[in-house]
Amino acid sequence: MKSHASDRIKIPQGFWTGLHQLGIAASDVACKARLPLAIITEPVVTTAQYFAIWQAYSDLVGDTANAIIKLATVFEASQYPPSVLATYHARDYRDALYRMARYKQLCPPESLRIAENKEHCTIDLGWLNTDQSGPSMLVGITLAFLLELGRRGTGQPLTAQCVKFTHEMGDIKSLEAFFGCRIQIGATCNQLTLHRSDLLRPFVSYNEELLEILTPALDQSLYEQQSSRSITETVKWIMKRSLTAGRPDIQTIANELGMSHRTLQRRLAEENTSFKHLLTKSRQEKAREYLADPSLDIKEVAFLIGYEDQNSFYRAFRFWEDDTPANWRTDYLNKA
């Protein structure tokens, strides 16, 4: 797993409080994860350690599905960190979800991408600063909490429309009862699909005064974080987490960065690159990453990096690597 200069994750104290309410000692989790007990009082860890903590919780509880449901519903609002409080006290469900996706950047490694169409709202889960996906437990709790947030905020028993997971999640019937919809296992992505009409529901927990305090502080922290990396790094990061939704365009990326597409073009030119070049590099790097995973077939890889048909992906890959995807994968796996 690759390390990163900003690969430092702070675990909120509410996490350990929640585990205690479920009868699980923080010390047992630390020992199971083979980490020092100091992480309980000074919980700043790397991505690898963070994943190990979630895997340890999963191993201690047993069935993944039931562990997801228990932890998603046990947290009280008083235990939420500021970034989550700003979503719980949002104006409505849409505002809450977009705040969650925005402020998730302050507390990696999870990354959320939201897309809306006529009737649906899909939320895809990705990862920051790592080429590996997190444990099934972390994937499940992240998507489950997004629905739980809507239920708590609106005071209504909301249900999802569809949930997709790439890996096994334990007792699927329990998860289907929690989400109120069918669960698809073995999908190409981890995704929560909501009824778009639910996004209009107001939050009974809306607190304008508190948001006026939290929002500027969180936005400033986010600005400082983004300013610490080059525009090239930032654009590539956004591109990579956007590829499964199709080929990202410059206006969409610019909007996410809060600037015009002309300003983005100028900033990239100042760093001696271009939007087109970064998109190509992002696709090439993600293609290598996905092809290194033998569980993904080549059609899936093409889709995951934004190609609508396999032939276009084949032509692009031969141009990048002077080889076919299948041959590249065989050579890579033989050397591994």
Side-chain angles (χ1 to χ4, degrees):
M1 182 179 296
K2 292 194 304 185
S3 185
H4 194 279
S6 60
D7 186 22
R8 306 296 292 169
I9 301 164
K10 184 175 181 180
I11 302 175
Q13 192 59 40
F15 172 77
W16 304 111
T17 303
L19 293 188
H20 178 73
Q21 289 178 267
L22 295 176
I24 299 174
S27 57
D28 290 342
V29 174
C31 290
K32 187 74 173 178
R34 297 183 178 180
L35 296 174
L37 294 179
I39 66 165
I40 300 170
T41 54
E42 299 179 6
V44 178
V45 298
T46 65
T47 298
Q49 292 171 331
Y50 186 67
F51 285 171
I53 289 170
W54 280 101
Q55 188 59 55
Y57 165 63
S58 179
D59 293 342
L60 289 169
V61 173
D63 182 74
T64 302
N66 290 322
I68 289 169
I69 297 168
K70 287 179 180 178
L71 195 57
T73 55
V74 75
F75 280 107
E76 298 177 2
S78 60
Q79 299 170 356
Y80 294 161
S83 58
V84 180
L85 274 179
T87 68
Y88 178 67
H89 294 294
R91 183 180 298 275
D92 53 35
Y93 196 13
R94 173 180 282 109
D95 184 25
L97 290 173
Y98 279 93
R99 284 176 180 271
M100 181 67 80
R102 179 173 175 78
Y103 296 136
K104 261 295 178 187
Q105 299 174 59
L106 291 170
C107 46
E110 305 98 308
S111 168
L112 302 174
R113 177 161 180 82
I114 302 173
E116 296 185 48
N117 58 29
K118 188 174 182 180
E119 298 179 357
H120 320 302
C121 171
T122 59
I123 307 172
D124 287 277
L125 172 62
W127 308 98
L128 299 173
N129 305 335
T130 177
D131 291 336
Q132 298 187 15
S133 62
S136 296
M137 175 63 65
L138 178 56
V139 171
I141 193 66
T142 301
L143 297 189
F145 183 74
L146 293 176
L147 181 60
E148 182 68 13
L149 174 66
R151 289 171 174 170
R152 294 188 181 194
T154 65
Q156 300 295 319
L158 304 183
T159 59
Q161 192 168 71
C162 178
V163 179
K164 297 179 181 179
F165 293 118
T166 58
H167 295 90
E168 292 293 333
M169 302 298 289
D171 184 358
I172 296 303
K173 289 185 177 180
S174 294
L175 280 180
E176 289 182 333
F178 173 82
F179 283 102
C181 67
R182 67 182 184 86
I183 303 290
Q184 180 182 339
I185 300 297
T188 57
C189 60
N190 295 299
Q191 184 183 84
L192 170 68
T193 300
L194 301 169
H195 301 277
R196 194 181 183 202
S197 57
D198 285 339
L199 271 58
L200 299 172
R201 294 180 183 271
F203 268 26
V204 296
S205 52
Y206 174 51
N207 188 324
E208 183 178 8
E209 292 77 13
L210 183 59
L211 288 179
E212 288 178 351
I213 297 172
L214 291 174
T215 301
L218 290 169
D219 285 346
Q220 179 62 28
S221 295
L222 187 59
Y223 172 77
E224 292 173 356
Q225 182 188 80
Q226 292 176 339
S227 298
S228 67
R229 47 162 104 105
S230 70
I231 192 68
T232 296
E233 291 176 317
T234 302
V235 169
K236 282 185 69 176
W237 168 69
I238 296 175
M239 283 177 171
K240 287 182 177 182
R241 70 181 177 87
S242 305
L243 287 174
T244 54
R247 177 175 175 166
D249 59 79
I250 191 168
Q251 187 61 62
T252 300
I253 302 295
N255 289 343
E256 188 153 350
L257 291 170
M259 63 180 70
S260 70
H261 74 277
R262 291 179 183 273
T263 299
L264 177 55
Q265 286 176 324
R266 177 177 56 78
R267 293 279 303 277
L268 291 175
E270 290 172 354
E271 295 186 7
N272 299 313
T273 189
S274 68
F275 185 86
K276 182 178 180 180
H277 174 73
L278 293 182
L279 179 58
T280 298
K281 293 299 293 182
S282 297
R283 281 177 150 177
Q284 182 180 6
E285 290 170 12
K286 292 301 288 184
R288 289 172 175 170
E289 175 189 331
Y290 290 134
L291 287 171
D293 182 354
S295 68
L296 294 174
D297 66 40
I298 294 176
K299 287 182 179 180
E300 290 176 315
V301 174
F303 168 77
L304 288 170
I305 63 171
Y307 283 95
E308 295 182 356
D309 66 90
Q310 191 172 341
N311 289 334
S312 296
F313 170 57
Y314 266 82
R315 288 193 295 271
F317 194 85
R318 285 190 70 95
F319 178 78
W320 299 333
E321 305 290 343
D322 195 27
D323 204 351
T324 67
N327 287 342
W328 187 96
R329 168 177 275 173
T330 299
D331 290 343
Y332 175 86
L333 295 177
N334 285 339
K335 294 175 183 177

